Amino acid sequence: MAKQRVAVDVGGTFTDVCVFDEDTRSIRVTKVPSTPDDPMRAVLDGVERGGIDLAEVSLFSHGTTVATNALITRNFQPAAMVTTTGFRDVIEIRDGTKDDLWDAYHDVAPPYIRRRDRFEVAERIDYAGRVVTPLDEVAARRTAALLRKRGARTVAVCFVNSYVNPAHEIRMREILEEELPGVAVSTSAEILPEIFEHDRFNTTVANTVLAPLVSGYVNRLAKELAAGGYRGDLLLLHSGGGSMTPRMVERYPVRLAASGIAAGAIAARHVAAQCGYANAIGLDMGGTSTDIAMVHGGELRVTKEWSVEYGYPIIFPSIEVLTIGAGGGSIAHIDEAGSLRNGPQSAGAAPGPACYGAGGTEPTNSDANLVLNRLGTSLAGGAKLLSPEPAERAILDRVAQPLGLALEDAASAVLQVANANMADAVRLISIRRGYDPRDFALIAFGGAGALHGAEVARELNIPTVVVPPNPGVTSALGCLLVDIRHDLSAMFDAVGDQADGEEFENAFAGLEAEASARLQHEGVRAEDALLQRTVSMRYLGQWRSLTVKCGSGPGSLREAIELFHEQHEREYSFRRDETPVQIYQLGLTAIGVTPKPVVAPYEVVPGAAPAARQNRKVYFDGPGWVDTPVHERAALPAGCRLDGPAVIEQLDATTIVPPDSRAEIDEWLNIRIHLTEA
């Protein structure tokens, strides 16, 4: 029987591989450079470097940035949109807002489908689902003929009130499939059966343009794995924190648009729960960006409206992750006013930071860490060697000399700006929502997270930093911790106390039937299926809604209304129990439970850390250059303690334990850094 579970997470700089052995209950990891031109090459390189026999793999899970990168680069195959007469420009008009309200010269990016590729067909269904104007099938076939002439590969069908009656969209899809064999068609009623055509149309358009690219990549990878001996389904991590098989990815590729960032958030929640922290902030700092997620009460925050590019919302539940341009490769530069900035520009994987010696000349966070001796000269087990001379030259030329600083002061300033950017992002996701960071632990991971975690935590007065055993590949571990998951929704308009209980239950029964069919299609056994209800509500007359959990049976709706009042008070600092609550939408999460890796804990033997492998001078703010012990992480047993300053090195990351702090290794081999209160 297959005894290994493999997870691969593709990042902007490195591709991480995590292998769990079911017999020994142990995890081993490896990293390979990413291949942006074809991410699949890096996945297969990681399998080869990890010495993985695919015939011995029982589960292969993958977090991918293919969909995200496609939306950013807009490298789409020919796509078109068919909509109701008069609604051709909905996705271009948007909601009239701008990312930067005060910048009159900055325009929002254009829609994913150009205006000349958006076509109108006469039809109309009213708000109640009654046919006002029948679908003009002659015009529909004329449009299909034009699309065939233009070589369209995929088509979005977006009729204005199809969420309440999809008959016209279904017929339009049938006509397109008759006239255009082999063309992928996405209908808005199938992708997102919700009101608000701007949100629904944009989500459907994103699904449409991604369909050939994502399904092509996923199917190619699945075939390569099968050729190597893998006999199971390839599981793709999606934005909601679950996974999908290639069969469902073909229908809903847009769900992979935030695949890569969700894995880290899931892993952060797992590590926090393992260590006994109900509240935690995940700081996933990679080579290009930093992803910040918040766990409160053991649950990750979920949002239903997000976007890869401003103005084009994707309305699928997604783990809420705040991403900023702060990574190991983020470029430090001086702006027009003479101030030092850090990011969001990145040196990327090629040419990379100056210290890579591959032609990069801009100073980055990695260069600054190397100049200050916080970072060694070898990454990923020798796969990447770092050169101090180009790093010093970049910081001297671009930062130190323009600002009149010594080399080490300039390098320290670069890191201080990066840490301040990350601390500000944590404040946005915590303090801005009424949460005190001092009540949280910071889970620092990613290739660079352990280098910066303690200093970011100190700036926020967070008392404890947890560094997982393999911080550089922790996101890949997150891919092993997810279940198959689908999120369904339906509009339901009623005032809470006056809602028809039978109609309410029937609406959920319809969603549950579809959810069960999807799980069955993906091979999930009935005993492994779990259905969870939610209700979106708002105070009568208000616009914004909150989504709360809902049980089943008598009294469940009343309990959901009370939960709405409580959540509204926490989010907005007030509640109005006397105001009627309007039910706006029903939601259902369908989960197919997959087996999770259970790592064996280690015996804790309290004591001092073993002797350091070496000592080197490391620069810290305040004391300056300090003689610092450098430890090999594999040599630190569970229970050992060490006082800062210290540097802890391993294959996939380097951990900094600053002065005035102490670290201990727990039974899961996490490093817990306890900071002295400022």
Side-chain angles (χ1 to χ4, degrees):
M1 291 180 62
K3 292 294 184 181
Q4 292 183 337
R5 301 181 207 169
V6 177
V8 180
D9 180 57
V10 178
T13 307
F14 285 103
T15 291
D16 305 329
V17 180
C18 180
V19 182
F20 175 73
D21 190 296
E22 297 180 9
D23 286 335
T24 62
R25 294 168 63 192
S26 62
I27 288 176
R28 58 186 175 89
V29 301
T30 191
K31 296 173 78 77
V32 295
S34 293
T35 51
D37 58 320
D38 184 5
M40 188 179 75
R41 287 207 335 267
V43 175
L44 299 177
D45 289 346
V47 169
E48 182 180 355
R49 176 156 185 176
I52 299 168
D53 181 356
L54 291 171
E56 295 295 318
V57 175
S58 62
L59 182 146
F60 196 106
S61 184
H62 179 30
T64 176
T65 55
V66 168
T68 312
N69 293 339
L71 291 177
I72 292 172
T73 62
R74 294 171 174 256
N75 185 22
F76 307 134
Q77 295 190 25
M81 174 182 174
V82 179
T83 188
T84 306
T85 299
F87 289 83
R88 180 184 185 187
D89 295 317
V90 164
I91 62 174
E92 193 145 8
I93 296 170
R94 304 182 313 279
D95 56 4
T97 63
K98 298 175 66 174
D99 190 16
D100 187 345
L101 181 63
W102 307 109
D103 188 346
Y105 300 97
H106 179 71
D107 292 326
V108 176
Y112 296 129
I113 295 179
R114 299 170 299 181
R115 192 173 195 270
R116 70 182 191 182
D117 295 321
R118 304 195 296 263
F119 301 89
E120 296 180 345
V121 173
E123 70 83 34
R124 197 57 183 259
I125 289 174
D126 70 8
Y127 73 96
R130 296 183 292 261
V131 175
V132 177
T133 303
L135 175 67
D136 186 342
E137 296 199 12
V138 174
R141 292 190 183 277
R142 216 169 31 237
T143 299
L146 186 55
L147 293 179
R148 182 171 57 249
K149 184 177 179 181
R150 291 197 178 187
R153 294 286 307 277
T154 180
V155 182
V157 180
C158 304
F159 290 159
V160 65
N161 284 326
S162 60
Y163 72 93
V164 69
N165 180 356
H168 286 174
E169 281 195 353
I170 292 172
R171 181 57 187 149
M172 186 71 218
R173 180 177 63 192
E174 291 171 350
I175 292 172
L176 290 171
E177 289 173 346
E178 290 171 12
E179 301 287 338
L180 303 169
V183 169
V185 180
S186 297
T187 64
S188 71
E190 177 189 23
I191 301 301
L192 190 75
E194 297 183 10
I195 198 173
F196 303 134
E197 59 271 15
H198 170 240
D199 296 341
R200 177 160 43 91
F201 286 12
N202 274 293
T203 303
T204 307
V205 164
N207 195 80
T208 299
V209 297
L210 289 175
L213 296 169
V214 174
S215 61
Y217 168 79
V218 168
N219 288 329
R220 279 195 306 126
L221 179 57
K223 288 178 182 177
E224 288 288 340
L225 295 177
Y230 179 55
R231 296 182 295 276
D233 270 328
L234 169 64
L235 295 183
L236 284 303
L237 181 70
H238 64 65
S239 58
S243 59
M244 305 163 68
T245 63
R247 292 186 294 276
M248 294 305 294
V249 169
E250 289 182 358
R251 291 174 60 185
Y252 303 102
V254 71
R255 297 229 62 186
L256 300 186
S259 168
I261 62 175
I266 294 165
R269 179 182 62 184
H270 169 76
V271 172
Q274 194 179 60
C275 296
Y277 296 111
N279 299 337
I281 294 170
L283 184 82
D284 181 2
M285 184 179 182
T288 306
S289 61
T290 295
D291 300 324
I292 298 168
M294 187 176 74
V295 180
H296 183 260
E299 296 290 334
L300 286 160
R301 286 184 62 95
V302 174
T303 180
K304 280 200 68 178
E305 182 173 335
W306 52 283
S307 62
V308 174
E309 285 189 291
Y310 185 85
Y312 304 103
I314 296 174
I315 312 298
F316 271 121
S318 174
I319 293 174
E320 189 173 44
V321 178
L322 178 60
T323 300
I324 63 170
S330 293
I331 295 172
H333 59 280
I334 297 173
D335 65 15
E336 294 177 355
S339 298
L340 179 62
R341 303 286 182 181
N342 194 298
Q345 302 87 349
S346 173
C355 60
Y356 279 17
T361 58
E362 302 286 349
T364 67
N365 292 328
S366 293
D367 296 313
N369 277 307
L370 183 62
V371 165
L372 300 180
N373 272 347
R374 299 182 182 188
L375 196 60
T377 57
S378 174
L379 294 181
K384 186 73 71 176
L385 299 178
L386 308 183
S387 303
E389 293 79 10
E392 293 174 0
R393 188 163 54 250
I395 291 177
L396 275 172
D397 293 346
R398 305 300 176 95
V399 180
Q401 291 176 359
L403 294 179
L405 298 173
L407 174 63
E408 58 268 27
D409 291 332
S412 178
V414 168
L415 299 183
Q416 287 179 47
V417 174
N419 293 334
N421 289 343
M422 288 184 279
D424 284 345
V426 172
R427 292 186 183 101
L428 282 176
I429 209 168
S430 58
I431 294 174
R432 189 175 180 181
R433 295 197 174 100
Y435 300 96
D436 189 339
R438 292 173 295 183
D439 298 332
F440 291 72
L442 185 73
I443 315 297
F445 57 101
L451 273 169
H452 294 254
E455 292 185 348
V456 172
R458 180 159 281 164
E459 186 153 337
L460 295 161
N461 282 329
I462 294 176
T464 302
V465 179
V466 179
V467 180
N470 303 109
V473 296
T474 296
S475 289
L477 172 64
C479 294
L480 288 178
L481 300 170
V482 299
D483 297 308
I484 292 174
R485 170 174 170 152
H486 297 286
D487 298 282
L488 294 81
S489 62
M491 305 306 298
F492 189 90
D493 187 10
V495 176
D497 295 338
Q498 304 167 18
D500 185 315
E502 184 177 354
E503 186 181 352
F504 182 76
E505 284 296 324
N506 288 340
F508 265 124
L511 290 177
E512 288 168 351
E514 182 182 349
S516 298
R518 288 194 191 183
L519 292 178
Q520 186 177 5
H521 180 66
E522 297 205 283
V524 176
R525 298 180 303 175
E527 58 267 30
D528 294 329
L530 180 64
L531 304 180
Q532 298 174 342
R533 296 179 173 186
T534 60
V535 181
S536 295
M537 304 179 180
R538 56 193 176 195
Y539 286 123
L540 192 63
Q542 286 195 348
W543 174 261
R544 296 294 180 186
S545 63
L546 289 175
T547 301
V548 298
K549 294 180 180 178
C550 180
S552 58
S556 60
L557 182 55
R558 185 172 58 254
E559 293 169 2
I561 292 173
E562 177 56 31
L563 189 59
F564 166 81
H565 288 304
E566 294 173 5
Q567 187 168 326
H568 198 281
E569 184 176 24
R570 190 179 75 241
E571 293 279 341
Y572 302 111
S573 301
F574 75 95
R575 59 186 288 169
R576 292 176 176 167
D577 294 61
E578 71 284 355
T579 302
V581 175
Q582 180 185 17
I583 301 172
Y584 159 66
Q585 187 182 67
L586 308 183
L588 187 75
T589 299
I591 296 174
V593 179
T594 60
K596 309 295 185 300
V598 180
V599 180
Y602 289 77
E603 182 183 359
V604 174
V605 181
R613 187 186 66 201
Q614 67 178 83
N615 280 47
R616 70 174 182 237
K617 294 288 186 180
V618 178
Y619 187 90
F620 294 97
D621 296 328
W625 292 102
V626 180
D627 193 39
T628 303
V630 179
H631 295 270
E632 187 66 40
R633 183 159 185 180
L636 299 179
C640 79
R641 299 175 181 174
L642 61 159
D643 294 324
V647 176
I648 303 173
E649 295 183 337
Q650 61 190 104
L651 167 76
D652 56 321
T654 298
T655 302
I656 294 294
V657 182
D660 299 324
S661 66
R662 58 184 175 83
E664 60 182 357
I665 311 298
D666 66 15
E667 66 269 35
W668 309 107
L669 298 187
N670 298 304
I671 302 173
R672 302 197 196 191
I673 303 173
H674 304 285
L675 302 172
T676 305
E677 231 178 283

